[in-house]
Amino acid sequence: MSATNDNMVPTMNASASSSPREDAVPSAHPSFEADVEDKAHQTGNDKATTNLFANAAAATEKEHKMTLMEGIRLYPKAIAWSVIISSTCAMEGYDVSLVGNFYAFPPFNRKYGELYPDGSYQVPARWQSGLSNGSQVGQILGLIVNGFCTERFGYRRVLIVCLVWLMAVITIFFCAPNIQTLLAAEILAGIPWGVFQSIAISYASEVCPIALRGYLTCYANFCWGWGQLVGIGVIRAMFSRSDQWAYRIPYGVQWVWPPLILLGVIFAPESPWWLVRKGRIEDAKHAMRRLTSPKRDPTFDVDESVDMIRHTTELEKDLTSGASYLDCFKGIDLRRTEVVCAIWAIQNLSGNTFSNYSTYFFEQAGLNGTIPYDFAMGQYAINMIGVFGAWGLMAAGLGRRTLLLLGLCGLSTTLFVMGFVGLVPDSHRHASALATGTLMLVWAVFYQCSVGTVAYSLVGEISSRRLAIKTVALGRAAYNVIAIINNVLTPYMINPTAWNWGNYAGFFWGGSCLLCLIYAYFRVPEPAGRTYAELDVLFEKKVSARKFKSTPVNAFDLTLRHSIDKKPETSHHEKV
C-alpha cells in the first residue's frame, strides 16, 4: 500500500493491518485522523487502534459508495457460496409442501388416514396438527443447539454434520409403516432444518457488502419457494398413481439435494466475521480473498475490509456484556431480539400457515381433481417470482421497513376480502371457490413481495454480529412456536369434521395481520444502507424505529475502552 500521511502511524503490530492511503480516509470526517489518534491514546494501544480505525473507516466509506453492479463484480464468489448454502432452505420448503398437500392426496390418506362413514379416507385434524408441528418442534431443538455449536465450530462444520444427519432421516420418511413413524421422522428432520434456516441468513449477511446484503439474505426465501414448487410438482406428477409409490417417491426425492449441497459446503470459505471473533485474523483475510475478485476493483483492500469487521467486533464488545443466549435479553440487545422474534412471528401471523394448506383448502371449498394442485403450483411459482419483485422494489429505493408495512396492508385487505367471499350462497359454491383460489394467489403476491422476503433481510441485519447466530435462532424459534399454534388451529378451522370455518378463517388472519401492521409501524427500524457498526450505534442511542433511516450516525465517534489484540474473545459461549 502507499505511504501514510504525516499524521498517521506508518506501521502496525502483528495483529493489525497495513496503513491506509490518505485518500482512503472518508471525506465526510475531515477531523478523523486527530479523532482516532485521541481515541487510540485513550485505549493505550496507539498503533493498532489508529490503523484499525483508519482502515475500518476507509472500508466503510467504500461500502457506502458501492453500487449494486460494483458489488456483483467484486463479490461474485460470495454470491455463489451464499446461494449454495441458502439452498439448504429448499429442503424444508419441500417438506412443508409435501405435508400440507398430502392431506388432499388420496393414496396418502388411504395409507395414513382413517375411514369415515361416508366412505372417504382422511388424516384426522389431530394428526394433521401433529405432523405439521413435528418438524416445528425439531426445528426449535435444532435452533437452540445451533446457537451453541455454530459459534463454537463454525458454519461449515455444523452444516456438514446436519446434511449427513438429514440423509439418514430421509430413510425413515421413505420406509414409514404408519403415521407415528412419520411424526418421528418430522421431528428428527426438523433439527437440521432449523439449523439451515439460521445459518443461511447469518452466512449471507456476513459474506457480502451493504450493496448485496438485502438481496442475498432474501434469496433464502426464493429457495423456500422452489422447494415448495418442486414438492407440489412431484405430487402432481404422482396423481395418476394409486399405489404406495405415489407417496414414497416424493419422500425419496429428498435424497437428491443433501449430497449436492454437501459437496459445495465442503469447499466453501468460512465466514470472515466468525474467524475474526475467534482471533484468526490471517484466516479471515484468506476467506475474504476467496469471497472476492480483487482484480476487478483496484481500490479494494482486504486489510481494510477485515479491519472493518474487527472494528465492529471490538465495538460490540464494548456495547454488549457477552455473547451467550442470556445476553440476547440484556441491554440494547433485548430490543434487537424482540424485533427479530416479532418479524419472524409476523410471517406466520399474516396467514402464512393458512396458505400452506392451500390444496386441502381448495378441495374443501369445492375444487376437485388436479385443480387444487394447479392453483397451488401457481401459488408456489409466485413465491419464487415474488422474491425478484421484492428485489426490484429494493433496487428502486424502497426500504425493508416500507416494504413490510405496505405488504401487511395488502395482506390484511386480501384476507378480509377472502372472509367475505365465504358469505356467497352455496348455490354459487364453485364460483366462490375459484374466487378463493384467485385471492390465494393475490395473497401470495403481496406476501412474497414484502413480508415473506424482506423478513429474511431484516432479521439478518438487525441482529448484532456477536449475537447474530443466537438472535436469529431465537427469532426462528419464535416463528416455530407461532407455527405450532397455527398448525393446531388451522386444520380445525378448515377441516369439515372440526370447526369447518372455510373462508371465514380469512377474518381471523386478517385481524391478526392488522395487529402486526400496528406493531411494525412503531417497532421495526430501517437497516438498509447502514453498516453493522452504524446499526450498533443507532441501537445504542435508542433511536426510534421511525427515525432510523434519517438519523445521521458516525460509528467512529465512540471510543473503544480496551486494547486491540488478536486474542479470541472469551465470552460465555466459549465455555458451553
Side-chain angles (χ1 to χ4, degrees), residues 31-103:
S31 63
F32 175 74
E33 293 175 8
D35 288 344
V36 296
E37 286 192 350
D38 179 61
K39 299 180 194 308
H41 178 72
Q42 295 177 44
T43 59
N45 195 343
D46 293 354
K47 293 182 180 180
T49 305
T50 297
N51 288 291
L52 175 68
F53 270 62
N55 281 351
T60 297
E61 183 73 3
K62 290 176 183 178
E63 285 216 6
H64 279 307
K65 292 180 178 179
M66 186 182 295
T67 64
L68 174 60
M69 292 309 300
E70 288 172 346
I72 293 174
R73 286 195 297 268
L74 181 58
Y75 285 83
K77 300 174 187 176
I79 294 173
W81 292 120
S82 177
V83 165
I84 290 173
I85 290 179
S86 292
S87 297
T88 55
C89 297
M91 291 183 281
E92 184 191 355
Y94 181 88
D95 180 77
V96 169
S97 176
L98 289 189
V99 172
N101 293 298
F102 265 155
Y103 300 145

Coordinates of all heavy atoms in Angstrom, one line a residue, residues 31-103:
S31 N -11.8 15.6 10.4 CA -11.0 15.6 11.6 C -10.8 14.2 12.1 O -10.4 14.0 13.2 CB -11.7 16.4 12.7 OG -12.9 15.9 13.0
F32 N -11.0 13.2 11.2 CA -11.0 11.8 11.6 C -9.6 11.4 12.2 O -9.6 10.7 13.2 CB -11.4 11.0 10.4 CG -11.3 9.5 10.7 CD1 -12.2 8.9 11.5 CD2 -10.2 8.7 10.2 CE1 -12.1 7.5 11.8 CE2 -10.1 7.4 10.5 CZ -11.1 6.8 11.3
E33 N -8.5 11.8 11.5 CA -7.2 11.3 11.9 C -6.9 11.8 13.4 O -6.4 11.0 14.2 CB -6.2 11.8 11.0 CG -6.3 11.2 9.6 CD -5.3 11.8 8.6 OE1 -4.5 12.6 9.0 OE2 -5.4 11.5 7.4
A34 N -7.2 13.0 13.7 CA -7.0 13.5 15.0 C -7.9 12.8 16.0 O -7.4 12.5 17.1 CB -7.2 15.0 15.1
D35 N -9.1 12.5 15.6 CA -10.0 11.8 16.5 C -9.6 10.4 16.8 O -9.6 10.0 18.0 CB -11.4 11.7 15.8 CG -12.1 13.1 15.8 OD1 -11.7 14.0 16.5 OD2 -13.1 13.2 15.0
V36 N -9.1 9.7 15.8 CA -8.7 8.3 16.1 C -7.4 8.2 16.9 O -7.2 7.3 17.7 CB -8.5 7.5 14.7 CG1 -9.8 7.4 14.0 CG2 -7.4 8.1 13.9
E37 N -6.5 9.2 16.7 CA -5.3 9.3 17.5 C -5.6 9.5 19.0 O -5.1 9.0 19.9 CB -4.3 10.3 17.0 CG -3.7 9.9 15.7 CD -2.5 10.8 15.3 OE1 -2.3 11.8 16.0 OE2 -1.7 10.4 14.4
D38 N -6.6 10.4 19.2 CA -7.1 10.7 20.5 C -7.7 9.4 21.1 O -7.5 9.1 22.3 CB -8.1 11.8 20.5 CG -8.6 12.1 21.9 OD1 -7.7 12.5 22.8 OD2 -9.8 12.0 22.2
K39 N -8.5 8.7 20.4 CA -9.2 7.5 20.9 C -8.1 6.4 21.1 O -8.2 5.7 22.0 CB -10.2 7.0 19.9 CG -11.4 8.1 19.7 CD -12.4 7.5 18.7 CE -13.3 8.6 18.2 NZ -13.9 9.4 19.2
A40 N -7.1 6.4 20.2 CA -6.1 5.4 20.4 C -5.3 5.6 21.7 O -4.9 4.7 22.4 CB -5.1 5.4 19.2
H41 N -5.0 6.9 21.9 CA -4.3 7.3 23.2 C -5.1 6.8 24.4 O -4.6 6.3 25.4 CB -4.1 8.8 23.2 CG -3.4 9.2 24.5 ND1 -2.1 8.9 24.8 CD2 -3.9 9.9 25.6 CE1 -1.8 9.4 26.0 NE2 -2.8 10.0 26.5
Q42 N -6.5 7.0 24.3 CA -7.3 6.6 25.4 C -7.3 5.1 25.7 O -7.4 4.6 26.8 CB -8.8 7.1 25.2 CG -8.9 8.6 25.2 CD -10.3 9.0 24.9 OE1 -11.2 8.4 25.4 NE2 -10.5 10.0 24.0
T43 N -7.2 4.3 24.6 CA -7.2 2.8 24.7 C -5.8 2.3 25.1 O -5.7 1.1 25.5 CB -7.6 2.2 23.4 OG1 -6.7 2.6 22.4 CG2 -9.0 2.5 23.0
G44 N -4.8 3.1 24.9 CA -3.4 2.7 25.3 C -2.8 1.8 24.3 O -1.9 1.0 24.6
N45 N -3.3 1.7 23.1 CA -2.7 0.9 22.0 C -2.7 1.7 20.7 O -3.4 1.5 19.8 CB -3.6 -0.4 21.9 CG -2.9 -1.5 21.1 OD1 -1.9 -1.2 20.4 ND2 -3.4 -2.7 21.1
D46 N -1.8 2.7 20.7 CA -1.8 3.7 19.7 C -1.7 3.2 18.2 O -2.6 3.5 17.4 CB -0.6 4.7 19.9 CG -0.8 5.5 21.2 OD1 -1.9 5.4 21.8 OD2 0.1 6.2 21.5
K47 N -0.7 2.4 17.9 CA -0.5 2.0 16.6 C -1.7 1.1 16.1 O -2.2 1.4 15.0 CB 0.8 1.2 16.5 CG 2.0 2.1 16.7 CD 3.3 1.2 16.5 CE 4.5 2.0 16.8 NZ 5.8 1.2 16.6
A48 N -2.0 0.1 16.8 CA -3.0 -0.9 16.4 C -4.4 -0.2 16.2 O -5.1 -0.3 15.3 CB -3.1 -2.0 17.4
T49 N -4.8 0.6 17.2 CA -6.1 1.3 17.2 C -6.2 2.3 16.1 O -7.2 2.4 15.4 CB -6.4 1.9 18.6 OG1 -6.3 0.9 19.6 CG2 -7.8 2.4 18.6
T50 N -5.1 3.1 16.0 CA -5.1 4.1 14.9 C -5.3 3.5 13.5 O -6.2 4.0 12.8 CB -3.8 4.9 14.9 OG1 -3.6 5.6 16.2 CG2 -3.7 5.9 13.8
N51 N -4.5 2.5 13.2 CA -4.7 1.8 11.9 C -6.0 1.1 11.8 O -6.6 1.0 10.7 CB -3.5 0.9 11.7 CG -2.2 1.7 11.4 OD1 -2.0 2.3 10.4 ND2 -1.3 1.7 12.4
L52 N -6.4 0.5 12.9 CA -7.7 -0.3 12.8 C -8.8 0.7 12.5 O -9.6 0.4 11.6 CB -7.9 -0.9 14.2 CG -9.3 -1.6 14.3 CD1 -9.4 -2.9 13.4 CD2 -9.6 -2.0 15.8
F53 N -8.9 1.8 13.2 CA -10.0 2.8 12.9 C -9.9 3.4 11.5 O -10.9 3.5 10.8 CB -9.9 3.9 13.9 CG -10.7 3.7 15.2 CD1 -10.4 2.6 16.0 CD2 -11.8 4.5 15.5 CE1 -11.1 2.4 17.2 CE2 -12.5 4.3 16.7 CZ -12.2 3.3 17.5
A54 N -8.7 3.7 11.1 CA -8.5 4.3 9.7 C -8.9 3.3 8.6 O -9.6 3.7 7.7 CB -7.0 4.8 9.6
N55 N -8.4 2.1 8.7 CA -8.7 1.1 7.7 C -10.2 0.8 7.7 O -10.9 0.7 6.7 CB -8.0 -0.2 8.0 CG -6.6 -0.1 7.5 OD1 -6.2 0.8 6.8 ND2 -5.8 -1.1 7.9
A56 N -10.8 0.7 8.9 CA -12.3 0.4 9.0 C -13.1 1.6 8.4 O -14.1 1.3 7.7 CB -12.6 0.2 10.5
A57 N -12.6 2.8 8.6 CA -13.3 4.0 8.1 C -13.2 4.0 6.6 O -14.2 4.3 5.9 CB -12.8 5.3 8.7
A58 N -12.1 3.6 6.0 CA -11.9 3.6 4.6 C -12.8 2.5 4.0 O -13.4 2.8 2.9 CB -10.4 3.3 4.3
A59 N -12.8 1.3 4.6 CA -13.7 0.3 4.0 C -15.2 0.7 4.1 O -16.0 0.4 3.2 CB -13.4 -1.0 4.8
T60 N -15.5 1.3 5.2 CA -16.9 1.8 5.4 C -17.3 2.7 4.3 O -18.4 2.6 3.8 CB -17.1 2.4 6.8 OG1 -16.8 1.4 7.8 CG2 -18.5 2.9 7.0
E61 N -16.4 3.7 4.1 CA -16.7 4.7 3.0 C -16.9 4.0 1.7 O -17.8 4.4 0.9 CB -15.6 5.7 3.0 CG -15.8 6.9 2.0 CD -16.9 7.8 2.4 OE1 -17.4 7.7 3.5 OE2 -17.2 8.8 1.7
K62 N -16.1 3.1 1.4 CA -16.2 2.4 0.1 C -17.5 1.6 0.0 O -18.1 1.5 -1.1 CB -15.0 1.4 -0.1 CG -13.6 2.2 -0.3 CD -12.5 1.2 -0.4 CE -11.2 1.9 -0.5 NZ -10.0 1.0 -0.5
E63 N -17.9 1.0 1.1 CA -19.1 0.2 1.0 C -20.3 1.1 0.8 O -21.3 0.8 0.1 CB -19.3 -0.6 2.3 CG -18.4 -1.9 2.4 CD -19.1 -3.0 3.1 OE1 -20.3 -2.9 3.4 OE2 -18.4 -4.1 3.3
H64 N -20.3 2.3 1.4 CA -21.4 3.2 1.3 C -21.5 3.7 -0.2 O -22.6 4.0 -0.7 CB -21.2 4.4 2.2 CG -21.7 4.2 3.6 ND1 -22.9 3.7 3.9 CD2 -21.0 4.4 4.8 CE1 -23.1 3.6 5.2 NE2 -21.9 4.0 5.8
K65 N -20.4 3.8 -0.8 CA -20.3 4.3 -2.2 C -20.6 3.2 -3.2 O -20.8 3.5 -4.4 CB -19.0 5.0 -2.5 CG -18.8 6.3 -1.7 CD -17.4 6.9 -2.1 CE -17.2 8.2 -1.4 NZ -15.9 8.8 -1.7
M66 N -20.4 1.9 -2.8 CA -20.5 0.8 -3.7 C -22.0 0.7 -4.3 O -22.9 0.7 -3.6 CB -20.1 -0.5 -3.0 CG -20.0 -1.7 -3.9 SD -19.6 -3.2 -3.0 CE -17.9 -2.8 -2.5
T67 N -22.1 0.6 -5.6 CA -23.4 0.3 -6.3 C -23.6 -1.2 -6.3 O -22.7 -2.0 -6.1 CB -23.4 0.9 -7.7 OG1 -22.4 0.2 -8.5 CG2 -23.0 2.4 -7.7
L68 N -24.8 -1.5 -6.7 CA -25.2 -2.9 -6.9 C -24.3 -3.7 -7.9 O -23.8 -4.7 -7.6 CB -26.7 -3.1 -7.3 CG -27.2 -4.5 -7.5 CD1 -27.1 -5.4 -6.3 CD2 -28.6 -4.4 -8.0
M69 N -24.1 -3.1 -9.0 CA -23.3 -3.7 -10.0 C -21.8 -3.8 -9.6 O -21.2 -4.8 -9.9 CB -23.4 -3.0 -11.4 CG -24.8 -3.0 -12.0 SD -25.4 -4.7 -12.2 CE -24.1 -5.5 -13.2
E70 N -21.3 -2.8 -8.9 CA -20.0 -2.9 -8.4 C -19.8 -4.0 -7.4 O -18.8 -4.7 -7.4 CB -19.6 -1.6 -7.8 CG -19.4 -0.4 -8.8 CD -19.2 0.9 -8.1 OE1 -19.5 1.0 -6.9 OE2 -18.7 1.9 -8.8
G71 N -20.8 -4.2 -6.6 CA -20.8 -5.3 -5.6 C -20.9 -6.6 -6.3 O -20.1 -7.6 -5.8
I72 N -21.6 -6.8 -7.3 CA -21.7 -8.0 -8.1 C -20.4 -8.3 -8.7 O -19.9 -9.5 -8.7 CB -22.8 -8.0 -9.1 CG1 -24.2 -7.9 -8.4 CG2 -22.7 -9.2 -10.0 CD1 -25.3 -7.7 -9.4
R73 N -19.7 -7.3 -9.3 CA -18.4 -7.5 -9.9 C -17.3 -7.9 -8.9 O -16.4 -8.7 -9.2 CB -18.0 -6.3 -10.7 CG -18.7 -6.1 -12.0 CD -18.0 -5.1 -12.9 NE -18.0 -3.8 -12.2 CZ -18.9 -2.8 -12.4 NH1 -20.0 -3.1 -13.2 NH2 -18.8 -1.6 -11.8
L74 N -17.4 -7.3 -7.7 CA -16.3 -7.5 -6.7 C -16.6 -8.8 -5.9 O -15.6 -9.5 -5.5 CB -16.2 -6.3 -5.8 CG -15.1 -6.4 -4.7 CD1 -13.7 -6.6 -5.3 CD2 -15.2 -5.1 -3.8
Y75 N -17.8 -9.2 -5.7 CA -18.2 -10.3 -4.8 C -18.9 -11.4 -5.5 O -19.8 -12.0 -5.0 CB -19.0 -9.8 -3.6 CG -18.3 -9.0 -2.6 CD1 -18.0 -7.7 -2.7 CD2 -17.8 -9.6 -1.4 CE1 -17.4 -6.9 -1.8 CE2 -17.2 -8.9 -0.4 CZ -16.9 -7.6 -0.6 OH -16.3 -6.9 0.4
P76 N -18.5 -11.8 -6.7 CA -19.2 -12.9 -7.4 C -19.1 -14.2 -6.7 O -20.0 -15.1 -6.7 CB -18.6 -13.0 -8.8 CG -17.2 -12.4 -8.6 CD -17.3 -11.3 -7.5
K77 N -17.9 -14.5 -6.1 CA -17.7 -15.7 -5.3 C -18.6 -15.8 -4.1 O -19.1 -16.8 -3.7 CB -16.2 -15.9 -5.0 CG -15.3 -15.9 -6.2 CD -13.8 -15.9 -5.7 CE -12.9 -15.8 -6.9 NZ -11.5 -15.7 -6.5
A78 N -18.7 -14.6 -3.4 CA -19.5 -14.6 -2.2 C -21.0 -14.9 -2.6 O -21.7 -15.6 -1.8 CB -19.4 -13.2 -1.5
I79 N -21.4 -14.4 -3.7 CA -22.8 -14.6 -4.2 C -23.0 -16.1 -4.4 O -24.0 -16.7 -4.0 CB -23.0 -13.8 -5.4 CG1 -23.0 -12.3 -5.2 CG2 -24.4 -14.2 -6.1 CD1 -23.1 -11.5 -6.4
A80 N -22.0 -16.7 -5.1 CA -22.1 -18.2 -5.4 C -22.2 -19.0 -4.1 O -23.0 -19.9 -4.0 CB -21.0 -18.6 -6.3
W81 N -21.2 -18.7 -3.2 CA -21.2 -19.5 -1.9 C -22.5 -19.3 -1.1 O -23.0 -20.3 -0.5 CB -20.0 -19.2 -1.1 CG -18.7 -19.6 -1.7 CD1 -17.6 -18.8 -2.1 CD2 -18.3 -20.9 -2.1 NE1 -16.6 -19.5 -2.6 CE2 -16.9 -20.8 -2.6 CE3 -18.9 -22.2 -2.0 CZ2 -16.2 -21.9 -3.1 CZ3 -18.1 -23.3 -2.5 CH2 -16.9 -23.1 -3.0
S82 N -23.0 -18.1 -1.1 CA -24.2 -17.8 -0.3 C -25.4 -18.5 -0.9 O -26.2 -19.1 -0.2 CB -24.4 -16.3 -0.3 OG -25.6 -16.0 0.4
V83 N -25.4 -18.5 -2.3 CA -26.5 -19.2 -3.0 C -26.5 -20.7 -2.6 O -27.6 -21.3 -2.4 CB -26.4 -19.0 -4.5 CG1 -27.3 -20.0 -5.3 CG2 -26.8 -17.6 -4.8
I84 N -25.3 -21.3 -2.6 CA -25.2 -22.8 -2.3 C -25.7 -23.1 -0.9 O -26.5 -24.0 -0.7 CB -23.8 -23.2 -2.5 CG1 -23.4 -23.2 -4.0 CG2 -23.6 -24.6 -1.9 CD1 -21.9 -23.5 -4.2
I85 N -25.3 -22.3 0.1 CA -25.6 -22.5 1.4 C -27.1 -22.2 1.7 O -27.8 -22.9 2.4 CB -24.7 -21.7 2.4 CG1 -23.3 -22.4 2.3 CG2 -25.3 -21.7 3.8 CD1 -22.3 -21.7 3.2
S86 N -27.6 -21.2 1.0 CA -29.1 -20.9 1.2 C -29.9 -21.9 0.6 O -31.1 -22.1 1.0 CB -29.4 -19.5 0.5 OG -28.7 -18.4 1.2
S87 N -29.4 -22.7 -0.3 CA -30.2 -23.8 -1.0 C -30.6 -24.8 0.0 O -31.6 -25.6 -0.2 CB -29.4 -24.4 -2.1 OG -29.1 -23.5 -3.1
T88 N -30.0 -24.9 1.2 CA -30.5 -25.8 2.2 C -31.9 -25.5 2.6 O -32.6 -26.4 3.1 CB -29.5 -25.8 3.4 OG1 -29.5 -24.4 3.9 CG2 -28.1 -26.2 3.1
C89 N -32.3 -24.3 2.5 CA -33.7 -23.9 2.9 C -34.7 -24.6 2.0 O -35.9 -24.7 2.5 CB -33.9 -22.4 2.9 SG -32.8 -21.5 4.1
A90 N -34.3 -24.9 0.8 CA -35.3 -25.5 -0.1 C -35.8 -26.9 0.4 O -36.9 -27.3 0.2 CB -34.6 -25.7 -1.5
M91 N -35.0 -27.6 1.2 CA -35.4 -28.9 1.7 C -36.5 -28.8 2.7 O -37.4 -29.6 2.7 CB -34.2 -29.6 2.3 CG -33.1 -30.0 1.3 SD -31.7 -30.9 2.0 CE -30.8 -29.5 2.7
E92 N -36.5 -27.7 3.5 CA -37.6 -27.5 4.4 C -38.9 -27.1 3.7 O -40.0 -27.6 4.0 CB -37.3 -26.4 5.5 CG -38.4 -26.3 6.5 CD -38.2 -25.1 7.4 OE1 -37.2 -24.4 7.3 OE2 -39.1 -24.8 8.2
G93 N -38.7 -26.2 2.7 CA -39.8 -25.8 1.8 C -40.5 -27.0 1.1 O -41.7 -27.1 1.0
Y94 N -39.6 -27.9 0.7 CA -40.1 -29.1 0.0 C -41.0 -29.9 1.0 O -42.1 -30.4 0.6 CB -39.0 -29.9 -0.5 CG -39.3 -31.2 -1.2 CD1 -39.6 -31.2 -2.6 CD2 -39.5 -32.4 -0.6 CE1 -39.9 -32.4 -3.3 CE2 -39.8 -33.6 -1.2 CZ -40.0 -33.5 -2.6 OH -40.4 -34.7 -3.3
D95 N -40.5 -30.1 2.2 CA -41.2 -31.0 3.2 C -42.5 -30.3 3.6 O -43.6 -30.9 3.7 CB -40.4 -31.2 4.4 CG -41.1 -32.1 5.4 OD1 -41.2 -33.3 5.2 OD2 -41.6 -31.5 6.4
V96 N -42.5 -29.0 3.8 CA -43.7 -28.2 4.2 C -44.8 -28.4 3.1 O -46.0 -28.6 3.3 CB -43.4 -26.7 4.4 CG1 -44.7 -25.9 4.5 CG2 -42.6 -26.6 5.7
S97 N -44.3 -28.4 1.8 CA -45.2 -28.5 0.7 C -45.8 -29.9 0.7 O -47.0 -30.1 0.5 CB -44.4 -28.3 -0.6 OG -45.2 -28.5 -1.8
L98 N -45.0 -30.9 0.9 CA -45.5 -32.3 1.0 C -46.5 -32.5 2.1 O -47.6 -33.0 1.8 CB -44.3 -33.3 1.2 CG -43.3 -33.6 0.1 CD1 -42.4 -34.7 0.5 CD2 -44.0 -33.8 -1.2
V99 N -46.2 -32.1 3.3 CA -47.0 -32.3 4.4 C -48.4 -31.6 4.2 O -49.5 -32.2 4.4 CB -46.4 -31.8 5.7 CG1 -47.4 -31.8 6.9 CG2 -45.2 -32.6 6.1
G100 N -48.4 -30.4 3.8 CA -49.6 -29.6 3.6 C -50.5 -30.2 2.5 O -51.7 -30.2 2.6
N101 N -49.8 -30.6 1.4 CA -50.6 -31.1 0.2 C -50.9 -32.6 0.2 O -51.8 -33.0 -0.5 CB -49.8 -30.7 -1.0 CG -49.8 -29.2 -1.2 OD1 -50.8 -28.5 -1.4 ND2 -48.6 -28.6 -1.2
F102 N -50.2 -33.3 1.0 CA -50.5 -34.8 1.1 C -51.9 -35.0 1.7 O -52.6 -36.0 1.5 CB -49.5 -35.5 2.0 CG -48.4 -36.1 1.2 CD1 -47.2 -36.4 1.8 CD2 -48.6 -36.5 -0.1 CE1 -46.1 -36.9 1.1 CE2 -47.5 -37.1 -0.8 CZ -46.3 -37.3 -0.2
Y103 N -52.4 -34.0 2.5 CA -53.7 -34.2 3.1 C -54.9 -34.2 2.1 O -56.0 -34.6 2.5 CB -54.0 -33.0 4.2 CG -52.9 -33.0 5.3 CD1 -52.5 -31.8 5.8 CD2 -52.4 -34.2 5.8 CE1 -51.5 -31.8 6.8 CE2 -51.4 -34.2 6.8 CZ -51.0 -32.9 7.3 OH -50.0 -32.9 8.3

